[in-house]
Amino acid sequence: MGEQSREMIAIDVLKDIALVMDGMIFERQRAIDALTLFHRKALPALEEIAKKVDSKLLKEQATMYINRIKEGIDKNV
């Protein structure tokens, strides 16, 4: 299995953890935090979380990270 495949699996697992409605909020927050380690590759997952998550707090957290990543992309391009 290639490095890219492992990263995509990790991103999917973290996204799933963040979207579990009956999960502990702090575990879901940590999953969102961990997604930022993947920078641009995590944008689709973070955008899906921001769109689908049931918690206002988690939605705001995902949106904040999306904006930060996009600002970093804009500066580096």
Side-chain angles (χ1 to χ4, degrees), residues 10-67:
I11 289 169
D12 285 341
V13 168
L14 291 167
K15 178 184 74 175
D16 290 346
I17 291 169
L19 290 173
V20 172
M21 290 187 195
D22 61 349
M24 298 293 292
I25 194 81
F26 70 91
E27 290 172 353
R28 296 169 73 192
Q29 286 178 303
R30 286 184 188 167
I32 293 170
D33 289 340
L35 281 167
T36 64
L37 297 172
F38 298 98
H39 307 285
R40 296 181 214 204
K41 293 176 187 173
L43 277 175
L46 288 167
E47 289 168 344
E48 185 175 342
I49 291 167
K51 187 181 208 180
K52 293 182 178 179
V53 77
D54 61 330
S55 163
K56 181 180 176 186
L57 175 68
L58 296 177
K59 184 180 296 287
E60 289 172 354
Q61 181 182 8
T63 301
M64 176 190 66
Y65 286 140
I66 290 166
N67 292 334

Side-chain angles (χ1 to χ4, degrees), residues 4 8 10 16 18 22 73:
Q4 185 127 11
M8 294 313 297
D16 290 346
D22 61 349
I73 290 171

